[in-house]
């Protein structure tokens, strides 16, 4: 449905690549995608992020995102990410070490700004799915 123009009350059309304005894509998408058509329309149509609900799938997604982020950070931050990835990929990582590795990854992701947002979201998802969220609320 195209945007309607010429209304005396104005119109609003927000799209993401389906005509009208479009925005550049990022590594993963954080947040909802809204499309509003017409003059007096009220409401929203939201698209849910299809994030994995399986803890192992969420961990694999995080590892993939961290590997992409590695190429976008300074050498010191890359070393922190590498050490944390080693811990996350151990066969029997101790729970505390696993949580600390997630905290280190989250810290680097937050320091680098917008490019790290998908990684920070993935860390929160992994913490929640592995039942570590309450113990790691500050991460």
């Amino acid at each position: 449905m195209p945007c309607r123009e010429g209304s005396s009350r104005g119109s609003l059309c927000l799209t993401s690549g389906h005509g009208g304005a479009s925005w550049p894509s990022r590594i993963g998408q954080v947040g909802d995608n809204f499309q509003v058509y017409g003059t007096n329309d009220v409401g929203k149509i939201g698209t849910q992020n299809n994030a994995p609900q399986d803890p192992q799938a969420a961990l694999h997604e995080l590892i993939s995102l961290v590997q992409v982020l590695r190429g976008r950070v300074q050498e010191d931050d890359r070393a922190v990410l590498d050490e944390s990835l080693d811990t996350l990929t151990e066969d029997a990582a101790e729970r505390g070490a696993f949580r600390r590795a997630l905290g280190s990854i989250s810290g680097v992701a937050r320091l680098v700004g917008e490019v790290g947002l998908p990684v920070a979201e993935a860390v929160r998802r992994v913490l929640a799915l592995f039942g570590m969220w309450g113990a790691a609320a500050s991460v």
Side-chain angles (χ1 to χ4, degrees):
M1 174 188 251
C3 294
R4 297 181 188 140
E5 297 180 16
S7 168
S8 61
R9 302 187 88 179
S11 63
L12 173 66
C13 180
L14 302 175
T15 64
S16 63
H18 302 292
S22 63
W23 295 273
S25 61
R26 298 182 200 153
I27 302 171
Q29 181 173 344
V30 178
D32 292 331
N33 176 14
F34 297 102
Q35 295 184 8
V36 181
Y37 300 99
T39 306
N40 296 314
D41 291 341
V42 177
K44 69 179 180 178
I45 299 172
T47 305
Q48 284 288 34
N49 182 356
N50 294 326
Q53 296 301 311
D54 171 45
Q56 290 300 319
L59 180 60
H60 288 295
E61 178 186 15
L62 171 63
I63 290 168
S64 295
L65 289 169
V66 170
Q67 289 170 340
V68 171
L69 183 63
R70 281 187 79 257
R72 298 180 173 200
V73 298
Q74 296 177 4
E75 188 175 328
D76 292 345
D77 292 333
R78 194 173 308 122
V80 171
L81 293 176
D82 288 344
E83 184 178 324
S84 298
L85 281 174
D86 288 345
T87 301
L88 294 182
T89 56
E90 285 179 11
D91 285 335
E94 187 261 326
R95 187 172 174 89
F98 188 83
R99 185 180 157 280
R100 285 188 298 277
L102 291 172
S104 295
I105 291 170
S106 180
V108 170
R110 289 174 187 227
L111 283 174
V112 298
E114 187 175 343
V115 72
L117 285 177
V119 173
E121 287 296 320
V123 167
R124 282 194 281 275
R125 206 167 21 258
V126 168
L127 283 168
L129 291 173
F130 277 89
M132 299 178 168
W133 186 253
S138 63
V139 174

